[in-house]
Amino acid sequence: MAMTKRTVIVGAGIAGLGAAQRLLKAGVSDIIILEAGDRIGGRICSFPYGNGFIDYGAQWIHGEDGNPVYTIAKKHGLLRQPDCQDTILPEMSRHLWREEENDILLTAQGEQMPEEVVHGALQILDDIMRNMKNLTTDNHDFTSVGDYTHRHFVAKIDELDWSEIDKARYLAVYRSLRLVEMIDAGESQNMMDIAGWNQYHTCPGDIYVELANGFSSILQVILNDIPDGTIKLGTPVVKVQLTDGSTEPVTVTTANGAQFQAAHVIITSSLGSLKAASSTMFEPPLPPGKLRAIHRLGFSTMNKIHLQFQEPFWEKNVNGLQFIPEEGAETDLQDENQSMSEIWHKAITGFDVHPAKTGLLVGFLAGKAAEYMETLDDAVVVNACMAKIRQYLKNDTLPEPTKIICSTWHSAPYMMGSYSNIPVSASIDDPSTLAEPVPSEEEPRLMFAGEATHATFYSTSHGALLSGQREADRIIAFLSHQ
Ligand SMILES: Cc1cc2nc3c(=O)[nH]c(=O)nc-3n(C[C@H](O)[C@H](O)[C@H](O)COP(=O)(O)OP(=O)(O)OC[C@H]3O[C@@H](n4cnc5c(N)ncnc54)[C@H](O)[C@@H]3O)c2cc1C
């Protein structure tokens, strides 16, 4: 027998929880959240480690002004104190390069890149990105973000009256910046659409705000407004059927056969999960435009590698060891004819010193290489990481780590990747198309939230939270006109 609930929310990530909180505050209390996994949070997942915590997924609040996650953290005293170094980037950098003090940039020959070269290259790239922002139409000669930045960077370096050595150094730093940008998008800039990239909005302020007790502390604040019993863990939704003519026209079926009738359903599944299930999960099938958006938008993997050492082998004041990739590394990583086993490690951009500074390093890699890493034994990953660290630090005697913890977002059921992006094959309207209610704006029965549905903050936790609130507001507005 179907249980009656007015609103069913699929997924207890920040979008689903944010939607529930908003509905409850507006007095819409007949809600239930069905979560496939055995925990809340989705791609926000902090767990205790040593005297602190590890963030498997989201780690930083990207920006302050206009960022609702920052607002929650600030209001509830969740920020790391003192707040991390201000990493306020020139306006146009999308997120990424963390121009931290004592973040050392190393060559494969073990040399440290002088700070002024790093800053100089960053400034050139930033100017290029700023100009790219002015390309408002698709009517231009560039095939991708990567094509645009590469051609302009090389041209800029060529026109300078510098020695070949200096030019090579700037280009080396540029290679490194591109790989770091790949962490943000999840894929090479060569696959990213210029208009899509330009549509992404960076909240002003520090773009690497840290939380004292892990990103999940944000969720605890939201959870305080959600009554016990609202969330059903371990409850994957397998079918969503929309019928005509009743006040509760949506039937939601879970993997164990339970059914819930609802007036409204908000789907917050990751884009990866939707790509896998959208053709079988919905009856009638989703509109062709929405299916096209699901298919065309990108959903890529970024993984973290945590290496625990008995004690730090780096100087106390060092915040990170970043690697300048060999020439051609990015091309190799995109070349499907290359054997992934030979090249995957080229995607590791470097290692940050974990904020707890307890001998823990955190490495990052993205794209197909990040997916491939998930298939490897820990010992293989350790060997590759240590070979790289030893090479770049020019020190064969560095100790082995005592522990390795790698994230596996691609193979995680119901996640199937890390975050969305807008590749060249997609349209900048696709996130908004994904967000359109079914059957119509006037009668929103089936709604879609989650980071991939936010037109300007896609890929982020704040985009996800805002998207959940948006869909809750849609229901509240609908009910107020009943
Ligand atoms: C490694 C990594 C690092 C990141 N770093 C940052 C960062 O520093 N800052 C930042 O702002 N963002 C970051 N992000 C992105 C951020 O984590 C996400 O944008 C955000 O958490 C997405 O929230 P969501 O609610 O849209 O989706 P999710 O968190 O994916 O939640 C969706 C939920 O739906 C559930 N679900 C899916 N299908 C079903 C089904 N059929 N039935 C029932 N339940 C289902 C899933 O189990 C999941 O719990 C990072 C992500 C990753 C993976």
Side-chain angles (χ1 to χ4, degrees):
M1 166 109 96
M3 288 166 272
T4 299
K5 285 283 169 187
R6 280 191 72 81
T7 298
V8 170
I9 298 171
V10 180
I14 193 168
L17 296 175
Q21 181 191 41
R22 188 75 143 222
L23 287 168
L24 288 160
K25 284 196 168 167
V28 182
S29 58
D30 194 4
I31 61 175
I32 189 159
I33 305 177
L34 304 177
E35 166 54 51
D38 58 6
R39 62 172 178 82
I40 65 149
R43 285 169 273 165
I44 295 175
C45 176
S46 320
F47 59 90
Y49 183 83
N51 295 331
F53 60 86
I54 283 180
D55 272 314
Y56 228 61
Q59 181 170 352
W60 295 286
I61 301 174
H62 293 313
E64 300 173 14
D65 298 345
N67 186 331
V69 176
Y70 181 81
T71 306
I72 295 173
K74 181 100 181 150
K75 181 173 171 199
H76 294 271
L78 305 178
L79 299 173
R80 176 179 287 282
Q81 296 294 347
D83 201 357
C84 58
Q85 297 100 322
D86 272 357
T87 41
I88 299 172
L89 288 183
E91 196 188 330
M92 289 304 139
S93 285
R94 188 170 156 201
H95 284 170
L96 282 201
W97 183 253
R98 280 193 301 147
E99 200 184 353
E100 280 191 352
E101 238 177 88
N102 299 322
D103 210 358
I104 297 171
L105 190 60
L106 297 158
T107 68
Q109 290 70 41
E111 283 144 23
Q112 193 174 325
M113 195 55 79
E115 245 175 61
E116 63 272 17
V117 179
V118 179
H119 292 170
L122 180 61
Q123 193 53 58
I124 293 174
L125 184 58
D126 198 68
D127 289 344
I128 291 170
M129 291 289 205
R130 189 183 299 273
N131 290 334
M132 192 178 78
K133 198 90 183 165
N134 297 328
L135 285 185
T136 47
T137 67
D138 281 341
N139 185 17
H140 49 70
D141 292 339
F142 304 97
T143 56
S144 65
V145 173
D147 181 38
Y148 183 93
T149 58
H150 185 74
R151 283 207 252 159
H152 281 87
F153 200 95
V154 170
K156 175 78 191 170
I157 296 301
D158 268 354
E159 80 192 21
L160 294 169
D161 186 19
W162 289 352
S163 72
E164 288 308 310
I165 294 176
D166 282 340
K167 288 183 179 185
R169 282 173 150 179
Y170 267 67
L171 286 168
V173 175
Y174 167 63
R175 284 202 299 280
S176 175
L177 294 173
R178 271 181 71 112
L179 211 58
V180 173
E181 290 277 1
M182 191 169 158
I183 296 298
D184 194 36
E187 292 287 359
S188 163
Q189 286 188 349
N190 289 341
M191 294 168 75
M192 294 302 121
D193 181 60
I194 291 178
W197 189 276
N198 286 344
Q199 183 165 271
Y200 179 90
H201 179 70
T202 303
C203 293
D206 186 349
I207 55 159
Y208 281 97
V209 178
E210 293 182 341
L211 290 138
N213 295 305
F215 214 100
S216 294
S217 55
I218 297 287
L219 301 178
Q220 289 308 318
V221 174
I222 301 175
L223 264 190
N224 288 340
D225 293 330
I226 299 178
D228 288 351
T230 306
I231 306 172
K232 294 211 176 306
L233 297 177
T235 312
V237 168
V238 292
K239 201 95 201 155
V240 179
Q241 291 159 296
L242 179 62
T243 49
D244 292 329
S246 103
T247 52
E248 290 184 333
V250 198
T251 309
V252 177
T253 308
T254 68
N256 68 5
Q259 290 197 319
F260 297 85
Q261 282 311 129
H264 308 279
V265 174
I266 305 178
I267 308 281
T268 73
S269 313
S270 75
L271 179 61
S273 201
L274 281 179
K275 278 178 187 284
S278 58
S279 58
T280 54
M281 192 166 160
F282 300 97
E283 257 181 45
L286 294 176
K290 195 182 284 288
L291 285 172
R292 200 177 317 119
I294 291 171
H295 178 68
R296 290 198 302 206
L297 284 169
F299 194 67
S300 306
T301 302
M302 192 280 273
N303 271 322
K304 301 183 189 179
I305 305 170
H306 296 85
L307 295 177
Q308 176 68 63
F309 294 88
Q310 193 73 45
E311 53 191 34
F313 57 76
W314 49 92
E315 300 289 325
K316 251 197 175 133
N317 61 348
V318 167
N319 286 324
L321 312 166
Q322 309 305 334
F323 306 141
I324 293 176
E326 310 149 30
E327 223 169 326
E330 192 183 343
T331 319
D332 287 349
L333 287 164
Q334 285 177 265
D335 181 352
E336 286 175 6
N337 295 319
Q338 296 266 359
S339 160
M340 225 359 130
S341 63
E342 304 289 325
I343 56 163
W344 74 271
H345 56 85
K346 294 184 181 184
I348 301 173
T349 56
F351 287 86
D352 286 358
V353 175
H354 190 270
K357 302 213 183 265
T358 50
L360 186 61
L361 292 180
V362 191
F364 302 84
L365 74 169
K368 294 277 173 243
E371 292 177 21
Y372 178 76
M373 185 195 70
E374 297 183 17
T375 67
L376 298 173
D377 288 343
D378 281 354
V380 178
V381 180
V382 167
N383 282 344
C385 291
M386 289 315 297
K388 197 148 185 166
I389 294 172
R390 287 175 181 137
Q391 178 192 358
Y392 277 78
L393 285 176
K394 227 177 177 174
N395 183 346
D396 287 339
T397 65
L398 293 177
E400 289 286 302
T402 53
K403 193 169 181 168
I404 178 167
I405 304 170
C406 299
S407 63
T408 52
W409 289 105
H410 178 66
S411 46
Y414 302 102
M415 308 293 164
M416 306 172 100
S418 299
Y419 29 72
S420 66
N421 53 55
I422 304 184
V424 286
S425 52
S427 153
I428 56 168
D429 297 329
D430 282 344
S432 302
T433 304
L434 186 55
E436 282 169 8
V438 174
S440 65
E441 295 275 350
E442 294 69 38
E443 200 194 347
R445 296 299 180 187
L446 198 51
M447 279 154 287
F448 291 80
E451 55 84 9
T453 69
H454 200 286
T456 56
F457 293 146
Y458 58 86
S459 82
T460 65
S461 57
H462 50 283
L465 176 59
L466 286 168
S467 73
Q469 295 172 345
R470 177 194 67 217
E471 296 313 313
D473 287 345
R474 204 191 291 277
I475 294 175
I476 294 163
F478 178 80
L479 293 177
S480 70
H481 289 109
Q482 291 297 289

